[in-house]
Amino acid sequence: MKTFSKVGACLIAFSVVVVIVYQDIALNSISRSAKSSTVGNKEESCLSRSQLVLYRKSSPHKPSSYLITKLRRYEELHKRCGPHTKSYNRSIKQLVSGQIDNSTDCRYVVWVAFCGLGNRILSITSAFLYALLTNRVLLINQEQDMGGLFCEPFPDTSWILPEDFLFKSEINSFEQNYNYSYGYMLKSNIINYSTELLPSYMFLYLSHDYDHHDKLFFCDQDQALLSKVPWLIMKSNVYFLPSLFLISSFEQELSKLFPDKETVFHHLGRYLFQPSNLVWRLITQYYQDYLAKAEKRIGIQIRVFDAETSPFEYVMDQILACTQTEKLLPEVDTEKTIAAQSENQTSKAVLITSLFPGYFEKLKNMYGEHPTKTGETVAVYQPSHEEEQQSYNNSHNIQAWVEMNLLSFSDELVTSAWSTFGYVAQGLGGMRPWILYKINQTKPDPLCGQGMSMEPCYHAPPVYDCKAKTTVDTATLVPHVRHCEDIRWGIKLFNSSS
Ligand SMILES: *[C@@H]1O[C@H](CO)[C@@H](O)[C@H](O)[C@H]1NC(C)=O
Ligand SMILES: *[C@@H]1O[C@H](CO)[C@@H](O)[C@H](O)[C@H]1NC(C)=O
Ligand SMILES: *[C@@H]1O[C@H](CO)[C@@H](O)[C@H](O)[C@H]1NC(C)=O
Ligand SMILES: *[C@@H]1O[C@H](CO)[C@@H](O)[C@H](O)[C@H]1NC(C)=O
Ligand SMILES: *[C@@H]1O[C@H](CO)[C@@H](O)[C@H](O)[C@H]1NC(C)=O
Ligand SMILES: *[C@@H]1O[C@H](CO)[C@@H](O)[C@H](O)[C@H]1NC(C)=O
Ligand SMILES: *[C@@H]1O[C@H](CO)[C@@H](O)[C@H](O)[C@H]1NC(C)=O
């Protein structure tokens, strides 16, 4: 079954990596109308765009005015070059002919969906920053499983790849060895850096299991070549954005856009991903029903990748030890019991997200049966337990998106190492989470620790020095790109001073 094997590939993603290693308000403040992608052509305003500020803590991190200006200019470009405009139609002609001509100045990055929603949100954000840096227009190949999740981010246009796009029916099956793949063409000597007649499109394979030639994408020389190709089709399931900060031709622009390196996903994520009206109703309903009354909201995102190496009891002990020693949750007095809890007194609400109900049940029973030593009352909630990740199921993705948003409303957040789901929640919320370090048969020491940057981790970074043509630890080249707290071979952005 097609779907099944695709899911397999994503789950394998994480173990393969091991082997290989070797809006903010301000962004939306210039008011603009926006359609919701949920309801076909019918224009409907995007409720979350104006209402998110009522739920999410406002960000103490202000975007640079340079970023805001850049986004406004991008919006104009997207409107001019977006689907079915005159310029787009002319660009499509180039795509069909395979030849580059000078009939339009619009260039594109087409992003192809792949893996779980967290991976997708992170790779879309990476593709968007790449588009900003290279003056391209980002179009996303939205399969049905992703439909109805987000509002259209750019005013008076669409970022959805049209149904009549030339490769629409086959684009999802483009793989690493596709004959227009950049890495493949280099490896097979079909092109080289002096080739003059380049095709009008190329495929970029930027997924966890890419090879040396695919990764040359991150070299200046290759960027110079790629800049001549009007259509780039990109398949990625990773947050490759940190490596853009190591390409010297982007350096100056990036430092103007993001003086604060820790907030790249925070700003771009809030800007790009506004819940659709359908999703927004689910989010606000749940919030009002369970979380609104609490004085403090604690989000705990639990993701167990391998139940054999991370047994339930170990994870449960880790959660309890971490939340209590870090004073996120109070201890209970197991000598005493309480009869009934008044919902009105709830001082802390715990929101658990997990594929399984066990952790929730245990915490809920604990706080339901025993009084806390601090006198606080703690209510525990879990919106769903889907048992198995189904990355290619629309209702599963809607639920995941609801829960990422609910987590982002937390006052304190606890996340699981390696999880892109947690990265999205922390970035949208603007929080440095408490990370439950990975359990691999033995308990990690320490059990958890606070992240030093709220940026997501790039799980499969290249380890190549383009100039010296040797292997290099890319976490050692500039002060703001270093190894992640949760994956030792991953890289992420930090504030230089942090
Ligand atoms: C672009 O082409 C589509 C059909 O492929 C057509 O419907 C549309 O009107 C064209 N746009 C312009 C501005 O001519
Ligand atoms: C585009 O290319 C054609 C032929 O290759 C040339 O005649 C024309 O002047 C060019 N137009 C522009 C705007 O460069
Ligand atoms: C690329 O592969 C497709 C089929 O997969 C084939 O139709 C096409 O001719 C190939 N193109 C080149 C340039 O080899
Ligand atoms: C580059 O590719 C062209 C064919 O596209 C070939 O004629 C040329 O010899 C190649 N150059 C090098 C340095 O390999
Ligand atoms: C909770 O508060 C509401 C209104 O503030 C009140 O009507 C209700 O009786 C209270 N419930 C309990 C169990 O104290
Ligand atoms: C998608 O998930 C929902 C809820 O878990 C389930 O009811 C539905 O059958 C699934 N659909 C497919 C196509 O697997
Ligand atoms: C878990 O530990 C074993 C033994 O130390 C090691 O071989 C394996 O690669 C580890 N797995 C992960 C996912 O880290």
Side-chain angles (χ1 to χ4, degrees):
M1 213 170 84
K2 193 178 163 206
T3 331
F4 204 70
S5 66
K6 280 200 282 187
V7 174
C10 292
L11 293 180
I12 291 164
F14 295 96
S15 46
V16 170
V17 169
V18 183
V19 177
I20 287 171
V21 168
Y22 195 38
Q23 171 125 2
D24 191 71
I25 316 147
L27 292 185
N28 284 319
S29 62
I30 303 170
S31 71
R32 49 195 176 79
S33 69
K35 288 179 288 184
S36 164
S37 63
T38 48
V39 271
N41 292 327
K42 203 174 114 213
E43 293 225 4
E44 190 179 313
S45 70
C46 175
L47 297 174
S48 66
R49 199 185 300 285
S50 53
Q51 294 178 7
L52 263 164
V53 294
L54 306 173
Y55 294 82
R56 246 181 220 155
K57 281 179 295 167
S58 72
S59 175
H61 312 281
K62 295 292 157 244
S64 67
S65 57
Y66 192 78
L67 173 60
I68 294 179
T69 308
K70 185 96 178 174
L71 291 173
R72 295 293 98 90
R73 260 195 264 129
Y74 175 84
E75 289 164 3
E76 284 165 24
L77 177 73
H78 198 116
K79 192 172 163 186
R80 181 165 63 77
C81 300
H84 298 138
T85 55
K86 244 189 216 154
S87 304
Y88 173 88
N89 285 358
R90 283 198 296 257
S91 303
I92 285 288
K93 281 201 185 131
Q94 285 189 71
L95 185 62
V96 174
S97 75
Q99 317 266 304
I100 301 175
D101 62 38
N102 60 2
S103 61
T104 160
D105 60 350
C106 295
R107 292 175 311 142
Y108 300 83
V109 184
V110 177
W111 174 90
V112 180
F114 189 26
C115 289
L117 185 63
N119 295 62
R120 295 187 196 194
I121 288 175
L122 298 180
S123 69
I124 290 175
T125 308
S126 304
F128 178 64
L129 181 57
Y130 180 65
L132 276 186
L133 290 168
T134 55
N135 297 313
R136 289 175 183 272
V137 169
L138 173 68
L139 298 177
I140 63 172
N141 179 43
Q142 178 175 268
E143 298 288 317
Q144 286 217 307
D145 56 27
M146 253 175 94
L149 293 181
F150 310 117
C151 295
E152 285 283 358
F154 316 122
D156 308 321
T157 180
S158 175
W159 72 337
I160 308 292
L161 186 71
E163 288 299 319
D164 62 3
F165 183 71
L166 182 61
F167 299 120
K168 181 70 187 172
S169 61
E170 54 191 318
I171 201 168
N172 238 340
S173 56
F174 285 5
E175 291 300 340
Q176 191 170 17
N177 60 358
Y178 175 61
N179 55 16
Y180 279 87
S181 149
Y182 181 60
Y184 173 82
M185 291 177 100
L186 278 181
K187 189 161 54 183
S188 325
N189 296 317
I190 297 167
I191 53 163
N192 57 43
Y193 300 108
S194 43
T195 303
E196 280 179 12
L197 267 182
L198 293 167
S200 58
Y201 71 97
M202 281 193 195
F203 175 63
L204 299 168
Y205 188 76
L206 299 179
S207 294
H208 64 278
D209 58 350
Y210 50 1
D211 70 14
H212 171 71
H213 287 92
D214 301 319
K215 290 182 215 177
L216 292 174
F217 170 81
F218 295 103
C219 296
D220 279 303
Q221 193 179 15
D222 302 77
Q223 283 304 325
L225 186 157
L226 289 169
S227 70
K228 298 176 196 146
V229 179
W231 289 91
L232 296 178
I233 300 171
M234 177 187 285
K235 188 169 192 172
S236 174
N237 61 353
V238 286
Y239 188 63
F240 64 81
L241 182 150
S243 283
L244 298 178
F245 283 75
L246 300 174
I247 299 176
S248 49
S249 49
F250 297 153
E251 203 175 297
Q252 202 181 5
E253 188 71 3
L254 282 170
S255 75
K256 284 195 277 183
L257 287 170
F258 299 105
D260 183 352
K261 305 288 185 292
E262 183 182 346
T263 59
V264 179
F265 178 74
H266 175 63
H267 290 316
L268 295 183
R270 283 190 174 196
Y271 171 73
L272 289 174
F273 304 105
Q274 316 265 337
S276 67
N277 289 353
L278 165 82
V279 173
W280 186 240
R281 272 192 291 276
L282 298 171
I283 294 169
T284 50
Q285 182 94 53
Y286 194 89
Y287 186 88
Q288 296 302 347
D289 287 351
Y290 302 108
L291 307 174
K293 273 177 290 187
E295 281 159 34
K296 273 214 180 290
R297 282 156 286 275
I298 317 294
I300 307 182
Q301 183 258 338
I302 306 164
R303 180 70 164 100
V304 174
F305 291 99
D306 183 345
E308 260 169 46
T309 53
S310 310
F312 177 84
E313 288 303 329
Y314 281 23
V315 178
M316 194 69 230
D317 289 351
Q318 184 186 30
I319 295 165
L320 290 174
C322 179
T323 52
Q324 294 177 0
T325 47
E326 303 302 344
K327 305 256 179 282
L328 303 175
L329 290 176
E331 289 177 49
V332 294
D333 189 344
T334 49
E335 309 280 282
K336 299 196 186 126
T337 55
I338 42 179
Q341 201 163 77
S342 161
E343 285 207 4
N344 288 3
Q345 293 163 10
T346 298
S347 48
K348 281 190 171 161
V350 179
L351 178 79
I352 294 195
T353 68
S354 167
L355 293 169
F356 308 103
Y359 309 101
F360 157 75
E361 281 162 6
K362 195 130 191 187
L363 262 190
K364 184 183 163 67
N365 290 342
M366 188 181 90
Y367 286 111
E369 286 164 11
H370 306 290
T372 62
K373 290 184 176 169
T374 56
E376 292 167 289
T377 56
V378 177
V380 186
Y381 305 102
Q382 179 171 341
S384 75
H385 48 89
E386 308 238 339
E387 309 292 336
E388 203 178 322
Q389 181 174 1
Q390 301 167 43
S391 308
Y392 301 96
N393 177 323
N394 185 241
S395 57
H396 184 95
N397 282 335
I398 286 178
Q399 186 60 32
W401 182 222
V402 167
E403 294 182 19
M404 286 174 189
N405 278 281
L406 287 170
L407 284 173
S408 80
F409 301 161
S410 305
D411 295 292
E412 302 280 359
L413 183 63
V414 179
T415 59
S416 294
W418 295 35
S419 172
T420 55
F421 194 107
Y423 297 160
V424 172
Q426 81 201 30
L428 294 179
M431 287 170 275
R432 291 177 180 174
W434 297 92
I435 304 166
L436 301 167
Y437 293 129
K438 193 141 174 64
I439 296 176
N440 182 8
Q441 265 134 26
T442 56
K443 292 185 185 174
D445 180 23
L447 286 168
C448 78
Q450 188 164 25
M452 295 203 303
S453 157
M454 60 190 168
E455 273 288 300
C457 177
Y458 180 8
H459 290 180
V463 288
Y464 185 63
D465 182 328
C466 302
K467 287 196 194 85
K469 299 197 187 333
T470 55
T471 302
V472 71
D473 180 352
T474 45
T476 59
L477 303 176
V478 294
H480 49 273
V481 177
R482 307 207 292 268
H483 285 298
C484 312
E485 301 92 338
D486 60 334
I487 297 190
R488 93 193 117 72
W489 57 84
I491 60 170
K492 67 188 258 184
L493 293 165
F494 292 80
N495 275 336
S496 311
S497 54
S498 71

